[in-house]
Amino acid sequence: MERWVCIWWKKSSSSTRLLGLMVPLIAASLLVVFGSSGSSGGLFSSNYHPLVWSSIAGGQPVLENSNNGGSDSVEKPMDGVEPWDLQRRVGDVGETEEAYSHDYVPNQSVTPPLAVEEIESTAQEQSLEKGKSSKTSTNGSAVLPFSNETDTRPLHLRIIRKFSNLERLEAKLQQARTAIRDAHMRNQSQDQDYVPAGPMYWSTKAFHRSYLEMEKHFKVFVYEEGEHPIFHNGPCGSIYSTEGGFIYRLEISKFRTRDPERAHIFFLPFSVASIVHFIYDRGTTDYWRPMKLTVSDYIHLLAGKYPYWNRSLGVDHFMLACHDWGPELSKSVPELFKNSVRALCNANTSEGFDPSKDVSIPEINLPGGRMNGLIGGPSPSRRRILVFYAGGVHGPIRPILLEHWENKDEDVQIHRYLPKSVSYLQMMRKSKYCVCPSGYEVASPRMVEALYTGCVPVIIKDHYIAPFSDILNWKSFAVEIPVEEIPNLKKILAGISTRQYIRMQRRGIQVRRHFEFNSPPKRYDVFHMILHSIWLRRLNVRLHGVKDS
C-alpha cells in the first residue's frame, strides 16, 4: 500500500496531488457535520412524551382504603383517571402545522435547561485564545476549542440563536417541570402557611413543589375587551359564586400581567351565568343562538386584534363557568371546545369534559357572597344521624334515592324538602354522612357544604370528575356509591368502621381549606387551587406557534 502511494505521488501532477488530499478532508468534514446534526442538545427539540404524575412522584402512592377498615391498598381516582396524569393532547389544526406538542421527559435523568439569554447573532466569532477550554452553547451542546495552534486557518462560523419571547417562556416552564418531576427525590420544602401531608393527596411533594413553582412563575393575561355585566363580572352570592368570585379575584391578583408577552395563559373573562341572565330568551325557538353568538363574536374580536389566539389555536387560553350551560356555550367556537382549557363546575365526561385538558371546579353556594356561618360543626361523637339528604327531585338519580329511602328509616334522613323550622346546615352538622347526588347535571354545592360542616360526602354521580381530583384522592375523605347500590346505602355506610369514619371526617376537615373562598384570597384556598389546576394543564403542552403549511 505504501509503495503504491509513493509511485502515485511521484507520477501525479501537482493539481492531482492537491485533489487527492482534498477529497478525504471533505468526506471527513461531511461526516462530522451530519453526525453532529443528529445529536443536537437543543432546548426546544420535539423529542418529548406526556408526563404521568405518578412517574414524577416516584411511583404510585400507597394509600389507605377510605371505604373499609383502613387496610392498605393502591387507590385509583374516579373514572379511570390516573393520579397526576396529564394526558396526551392531540388536536387537528386543519391546514396549518400543529401549534403545540406534549412536553415532558419524566423518566430520564436530565439536568434543567440552561437559562436562555438573548444574544445578538454575529457573523463571525473572534479568534479563541490558545488552550482555552470547551464552552457550552445556548442550546446546551458542547463547542470544542479549535485545534489551530498556528492561527493560520480561518475559524469556522458559529451562529448564536436569538430566542423569541415564546421560546423563553417555554424554557422557564421546562425548568419548572424538571423541578416538579424531581421533587420526590428531595426533602419536602418548608412552608409557613401549609405543608400538604397525608393520603388525601396523590403526591404531597409533587403537589407542593408544583404549587411553589406556580407562585414563582405563573402569569395570566386577562383580555380587557368587553363590558359589564356580561364581561369582567359575575354572580358572587349564589350557587354560581365560583364564577363571579374567580373573575373578580383574578383581575386584582398578583398572577395577572398586563404584558401579553409575559403571559403563560390568557383568560377569556366572560360570565356564562351573566350571559344566561341577560341574553337568554325562553320565548324564542332557537334560544342558544344569541348566547353562542356573544361568545363567538368576542373570541373573533380578540383573534383579529391580538396574535395569541391564532398563534396557539386557543390552547393557551381558558374560560371558566359554573353555570350548567357552560359546556354547551363553549361549543360556540370549535377551538374553544376542543383546544382551550375549560374550568367547569359541570364536569361531565359524557358531555365532552376532558380531564386531560379541562379543569373540574367546585360549585359553592355563598349566600351574601361570604362564608360567614358556613364552616364548622360538632365532633364525630355528637353526630347522631347516620346519613342525610334534602333537596328537589330532578334528574335520574334523586328519584331513585327518595323511592328507596324517603321516610323509611330514622338513621337514613332522606327528604324532598325540609320543614321551614328545620335548618338544612344544622341537619348536616348532626349527620355523619351527607348524600351528594346529581340533579339535572352533575354539579352540586352539597359536596362543599358537607366539607364545610364536617360531614363526610357520599357521592352518587355518573360521569363526574370531582374537583381537583388530579391533586386530591377523594376516596380518602369521601364515599363513592354507584347508582345501582342506592338500595344498599345504609348497609354500606353502617359497614364502615368507626375508626375509618373518624379518619375520613378529619381528612375532610383538613382539605376543606382548598374549597374556601376568602376575601382577600389565602394561599391554597379555592381561588389558588383553580389557578393551580390551570397551571398544570399549561405545563402539559408546549407551544410552537402556527405556521402556514
Side-chain angles (χ1 to χ4, degrees), residues 254-514:
K254 66 177 183 179
F255 294 96
R256 181 180 183 180
T257 176
R258 296 185 182 276
D259 180 1
E261 292 296 323
R262 297 183 60 212
H264 300 98
I265 202 162
F266 298 78
F267 179 49
L268 304 166
F270 60 85
S271 166
V272 172
S274 295
I275 289 175
V276 173
H277 181 74
F278 290 100
I279 298 178
Y280 169 59
D281 183 0
R282 67 174 66 244
T284 61
T285 304
D286 187 6
Y287 55 83
W288 288 112
R289 179 175 173 79
M291 293 189 290
K292 288 186 173 182
L293 279 176
T294 301
V295 176
S296 176
D297 289 348
Y298 183 67
I299 292 179
H300 283 101
L301 169 68
L302 301 179
K305 185 174 181 179
Y306 301 92
Y308 307 106
W309 176 274
N310 293 328
R311 176 185 71 180
S312 69
L313 304 176
V315 169
D316 58 345
H317 287 63
F318 78 98
M319 61 167 283
L320 182 139
C322 218
H323 196 280
D324 290 346
W325 291 355
E328 184 63 29
L329 291 190
S330 72
K331 298 177 183 177
S332 307
V333 179
E335 292 80 10
L336 177 62
F337 178 82
K338 189 175 183 180
N339 296 341
S340 301
V341 178
R342 301 178 304 153
L344 303 173
C345 287
N346 188 15
N348 190 334
T349 57
S350 69
E351 297 178 1
F353 183 88
D354 180 359
S356 69
K357 77 169 188 69
D358 297 328
V359 173
S360 175
I361 61 177
E363 186 169 283
I364 303 176
N365 186 15
L366 292 180
R370 297 184 178 274
M371 296 188 300
N372 297 348
L374 298 180
I375 294 182
S379 65
S381 62
R382 296 171 57 192
R383 296 174 181 265
R384 304 302 183 188
I385 300 172
L386 177 65
V387 59
F388 165 73
Y389 167 79
V393 184
H394 53 79
I397 295 177
R398 296 182 186 184
I400 301 173
L401 180 65
L402 287 155
E403 177 187 352
H404 283 89
W405 293 107
E406 186 179 23
N407 300 321
K408 300 289 178 65
D409 193 312
E410 289 186 1
D411 290 333
V412 184
Q413 294 287 322
I414 305 297
H415 306 276
R416 294 175 186 265
Y417 294 102
L418 291 173
K420 292 183 179 180
S421 59
V422 179
S423 167
Y424 175 76
L425 289 179
Q426 287 303 320
M427 287 295 293
M428 281 191 152
R429 291 187 172 100
K430 293 177 181 179
S431 304
K432 294 180 178 179
Y433 300 94
C434 294
V435 178
C436 308
S438 293
Y440 288 128
E441 299 292 350
V442 294
S444 168
R446 285 177 176 80
M447 295 167 63
V448 174
E449 289 168 343
L451 293 174
Y452 279 3
T453 57
C455 189
V456 176
V458 178
I459 302 172
I460 308 179
K461 300 173 184 285
D462 286 331
H463 313 295
Y464 180 57
I465 301 297
F468 316 135
S469 55
D470 44 4
I471 304 297
L472 299 177
N473 172 28
W474 277 82
K475 289 184 179 181
S476 70
F477 57 89
V479 180
E480 297 172 352
I481 295 181
V483 176
E484 59 270 19
E485 291 295 326
I486 288 177
N488 298 319
L489 177 65
K490 182 177 181 180
K491 180 180 178 181
I492 292 172
L493 298 179
I496 299 175
S497 69
T498 301
R499 182 180 179 184
Q500 183 62 14
Y501 157 68
I502 293 175
R503 285 176 175 173
M504 287 192 290
Q505 201 261 358
R506 289 176 177 173
R507 292 166 185 166
I509 291 174
Q510 183 176 339
V511 301
R512 75 183 177 197
R513 69 170 58 238
H514 302 314

Side-chain angles (χ1 to χ4, degrees), residues 185-233:
M185 297 186 295
R186 301 186 178 94
N187 293 329
Q188 193 157 357
S189 303
Q190 295 300 312
D191 197 317
Q192 61 180 358
D193 291 328
Y194 181 67
V195 176
M200 303 83 69
Y201 303 97
W202 292 116
S203 174
T204 56
K205 290 183 178 181
F207 167 50
H208 195 203
R209 173 48 55 189
S210 178
Y211 187 91
L212 297 178
E213 292 294 321
M214 176 194 74
E215 289 185 316
K216 187 189 305 182
H217 299 294
F218 199 32
K219 292 299 178 183
V220 181
F221 182 79
V222 181
Y223 288 108
E224 296 184 355
E225 286 72 17
E227 298 180 358
H228 288 201
I230 305 298
F231 303 93
H232 306 281
N233 200 1

